[in-house]
């Protein structure tokens, strides 16, 4: 008789970190956000470290603006680096490229946990909370800050095709999430993170 303890075919869900780091920093004088310095290293390195500390062993990073320079300057060992030549079209193109990459990962990814490179106020504790909201490949979850939805966002694999279809311009997954509002599990992260974006010169004050 085979007991649950003896079974070796139980699938441990793979929740991959998906970091969107393609932005060109148009309002920052054309400085790619991935290469902004935070704590002495490129911001993209910090964001990857947050995903790993939150338990994401599989990490895909979407690069766009100055992708070759990012590859040269940033230390991203073990990450799957995804080039998005259409990055200037907006976040939607990067999200599509990233979801296509995780879908093709031979490790069999069950959900993508999406983080933006320009939000260093969101640390590992908040990311781990959203990651823990995974239940199945139909899961949808998002961090919540004082009742407002933000990042990171968790997309079960069952949603990837639908998200990619609607991800255009700078809207990312916004339209898909609006259409599936009732299916989203909100995860309050107000006490452990600050969801500011580094979009302007003033925002650079948040970097350390």
């Amino acid at each position: 008789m085979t007991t649950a303890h003896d079974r070796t075919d139980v699938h441990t869900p793979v929740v991959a970190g998906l970091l969107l780091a393609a932005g060109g920093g148009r309002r920052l004088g054309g400085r790619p956000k991935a290469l902004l310095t935070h704590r002495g290293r490129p911001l993209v390195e910090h964001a990857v470290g947050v995903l790993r500390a939150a338990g994401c062993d599989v990490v895909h990073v979407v690069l766009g603006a100055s992708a070759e320079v990012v590859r040269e300057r940033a230390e991203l060992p073990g990450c799957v680096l995804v080039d998005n030549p259409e990055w200037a079209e907006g976040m939607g193109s990067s999200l599509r490229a990233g979801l296509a990459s995780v879908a093709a990962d031979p490790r069999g990814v069950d959900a993508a946990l999406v983080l933006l490179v320009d939000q260093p106020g969101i640390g590992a504790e908040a990311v781990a909370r959203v990651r823990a909201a995974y239940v199945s490949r139909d899961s949808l979850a998002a961090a919540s800050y004082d009742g407002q939805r933000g990042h990171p966002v968790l997309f079960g694999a069952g949603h990837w095709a639908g998200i990619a279809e609607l991800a255009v311009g700078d809207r990312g997954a916004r339209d898909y999430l609006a259409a599936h509002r009732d299916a989203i599990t909100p995860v309050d992260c107000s006490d452990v993170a600050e969801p500011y974006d580094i979009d302007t010169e003033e925002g650079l004050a948040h970097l350390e």
Side-chain angles (χ1 to χ4, degrees), residues 5-139:
H5 180 73
D6 295 324
R7 290 180 60 187
T8 59
D9 61 341
V10 177
H11 174 67
T12 300
V14 177
V15 177
L18 177 54
L19 179 64
L20 303 187
R26 180 174 52 84
R27 288 185 286 174
L28 293 168
R31 281 175 286 178
K33 292 183 178 182
L35 291 174
L36 294 175
T37 301
H38 184 59
R39 300 177 182 174
R41 296 299 302 166
L43 192 53
V44 66
E45 278 187 29
H46 170 78
V48 167
V50 166
L51 287 167
R52 292 205 187 285
C56 294
D57 296 324
V58 178
V59 178
H60 290 235
V61 182
V62 181
L63 303 177
S66 301
E68 287 306 314
V69 181
V70 176
R71 287 172 179 267
E72 292 170 8
R73 295 187 187 174
E75 296 179 9
L76 304 169
C79 293
V80 178
L81 303 183
V82 185
D83 285 317
N84 174 22
E86 301 175 346
W87 64 269
E89 293 181 6
M91 189 193 301
S93 65
S94 290
L95 182 56
R96 293 195 306 271
L99 291 177
S101 182
V102 294
D105 194 302
R107 288 165 287 195
V109 177
D110 297 289
L113 186 56
V114 180
L115 185 66
L116 307 182
V117 75
D118 68 342
Q119 294 192 313
I122 299 175
E125 190 168 354
V127 177
R129 282 188 188 178
V130 178
R131 182 178 181 274
Y134 175 85
V135 176
S136 74
R137 291 167 70 91
D138 290 323
S139 292

